[in-house]
Amino acid sequence: MKKLFILVVLLFSIAKVNAQQEILVSQYLFTPYLINPAIGGVNKYFTGSFMNRSQWVGFAGAPVSNAVTVEGALPDEKMGVGLKIANDRIGKTNQTDIIGSYSYHLKLDNKDQLSFGATAGFSNYNNDLSSGNYWDYNDNIINNSKTSVWIPKFGLGAFYLAKDYYAGLSVPTLLDYDKHNLYNLKRHFYLYGGYNYDIDAQWVLKPSALIKFAPKAPLQTDLNCRITYNNLITGGLSYRFSNFKNGSAFVVMAEYQANKNFRVGYAYDMSFAKVSKGLRIGRHSNGTHEIVASYSLVKGNKVKPKFAN
């Protein structure tokens, strides 16, 4: 019963601040295309990625996110295309995004690269309370509670890639939709950046930060620090904090580059969410588990850029 109470409070909080209208990813640097369309084609080859995120494991109806992406460069390598199919499920509510993207890459005089991207597609929002467990089978409110709506979705992004640092800005939801009774989409902003520090020939330190903002929602910040050994194994820590009491978490991450084509990563989130006095979600769940994997069509001896993913 205590778990049910905690989950109800958390889901109400999410709905109230519109915090999870965009998919939440701890390993955003593993799959940066998920949050920024300008990344599409930066690597000059095609990459397919899969992500599964199970949040607050142990609670029935807790958020579960899945995403599949494909992105890469066109033959002239000045333009890129991509496709994202993502699903966010919370209780009996589902959000499915089908989004395509186009990007353009500019080589600057100092050999840095500036990329721009745009997205267009649709989001389907639906819920079906009638599929749950209830006592009154003749309740008209429950029987007529199955709703679904398709909403067009547009976004923009920019990405700057230099030798030792990178920065990105994206707006995955460009247009507000306040007229829908089921969901009111809010404009979201992602601002992130990082630096690559070569400790020696084998070890690379990679600090970074991500700021997420949506109107009438709390500002959320991720502070990350990863370290890579011999371009094969990466370990990292992240702290996510917010002025919203249910938004803080500590994240442990690990990645393994099996070969030049295949890579896999895992993240474990420990939530500090406090739903009421003396009740913390971290004490009543098995945490949040996130698995990502990607396969790149790398040809010859082409080496992956340091920051694109």
Side-chain angles (χ1 to χ4, degrees):
M1 185 59 124
K2 183 178 288 187
K3 284 187 176 183
L4 178 61
F5 168 72
I6 295 173
L7 180 63
V8 169
V9 173
L10 287 171
L11 294 183
F12 173 77
S13 300
I14 287 175
K16 182 178 180 181
V17 300
N18 299 293
Q20 203 153 321
Q21 290 183 344
E22 296 296 335
I23 196 167
L24 177 64
V25 184
S26 290
Q27 299 172 91
Y28 71 94
L29 290 175
F30 189 109
T31 55
Y33 177 74
L34 274 175
I35 64 171
N36 192 343
I39 293 293
V42 165
N43 285 341
K44 312 306 180 187
Y45 46 77
F46 273 85
T47 297
S49 300
F50 169 77
M51 187 277 296
N52 171 266
R53 180 180 174 87
S54 298
Q55 196 167 328
W56 308 332
V57 172
F59 291 101
V64 177
S65 303
N66 291 283
V68 176
T69 64
V70 178
E71 54 84 13
L74 296 178
D76 63 1
E77 297 188 348
K78 293 181 179 180
M79 295 177 287
V81 294
L83 176 67
K84 177 179 73 174
I85 301 175
N87 176 263
D88 237 358
R89 184 175 74 250
I90 305 177
K92 300 299 179 181
T93 301
N94 271 279
Q95 172 188 342
T96 300
D97 293 343
I98 303 175
I99 308 292
S101 72
Y102 167 83
S103 57
Y104 187 80
H105 312 294
L106 294 171
K107 285 290 186 181
L108 305 181
D109 293 339
N110 59 359
K111 296 184 179 181
D112 293 351
Q113 180 171 293
L114 179 61
S115 302
F116 300 96
T119 63
F122 294 90
S123 288
N124 175 258
Y125 297 86
N126 70 82
N127 60 18
D128 184 8
L129 297 181
S130 63
S131 64
N133 297 320
Y134 50 91
W135 293 270
D136 187 357
Y137 288 86
N138 296 316
D139 192 324
N140 290 329
I141 294 178
I142 293 177
N143 292 333
N144 295 320
S145 63
K146 189 173 184 179
T147 54
S148 178
V149 61
W150 286 90
I151 300 175
K153 197 171 184 179
F154 306 94
L156 295 173
F159 182 70
Y160 189 90
L161 180 61
K163 180 182 178 181
D164 295 318
Y165 64 92
Y166 65 95
L169 173 65
S170 64
V171 189
T173 303
L174 189 61
L175 302 178
D176 287 349
Y177 289 93
D178 292 323
K179 61 182 179 181
H180 295 281
N181 294 323
L182 180 59
Y183 280 95
N184 294 324
L185 286 185
K186 299 299 181 183
R187 188 175 294 114
H188 287 63
F189 299 87
Y190 292 82
L191 176 64
Y192 64 98
Y195 184 82
N196 190 83
Y197 176 71
D198 295 324
I199 299 175
D200 56 32
Q202 292 183 313
W203 293 92
V204 183
L205 188 65
K206 302 177 179 180
S208 62
L210 167 66
I211 299 174
K212 292 169 278 188
F213 170 75
K216 298 182 180 179
L219 187 72
Q220 189 176 87
T221 302
D222 289 16
L223 298 178
N224 318 290
C225 188
R226 303 185 302 159
I227 188 167
T228 298
Y229 172 72
N230 205 29
N231 291 322
L232 292 176
I233 301 174
T234 298
L237 300 175
S238 178
Y239 181 66
R240 180 181 304 122
F241 62 94
S242 169
N243 58 343
F244 177 51
K245 65 181 180 181
N246 293 329
S248 299
F250 183 74
V251 184
V252 179
M253 298 175 284
E255 300 173 16
Y256 176 62
Q257 184 81 46
N259 52 51
K260 67 178 181 180
N261 302 107
F262 181 71
R263 191 160 59 119
V264 63
Y266 170 77
Y268 177 74
D269 295 24
M270 294 171 282
S271 176
F272 298 138
K274 185 177 180 180
V275 296
S276 65
K277 186 176 181 180
L279 285 179
R280 294 183 180 276
I281 190 172
R283 298 175 182 175
H284 303 280
S285 78
N286 297 320
T288 295
H289 302 267
E290 183 181 288
I291 298 174
V292 290
S294 69
Y295 188 87
S296 301
L297 299 178
V298 183
K299 297 180 180 179
N301 296 320
K302 186 177 288 187
V303 179
K304 289 188 175 183
K306 293 179 180 179
F307 302 113
N309 58 23

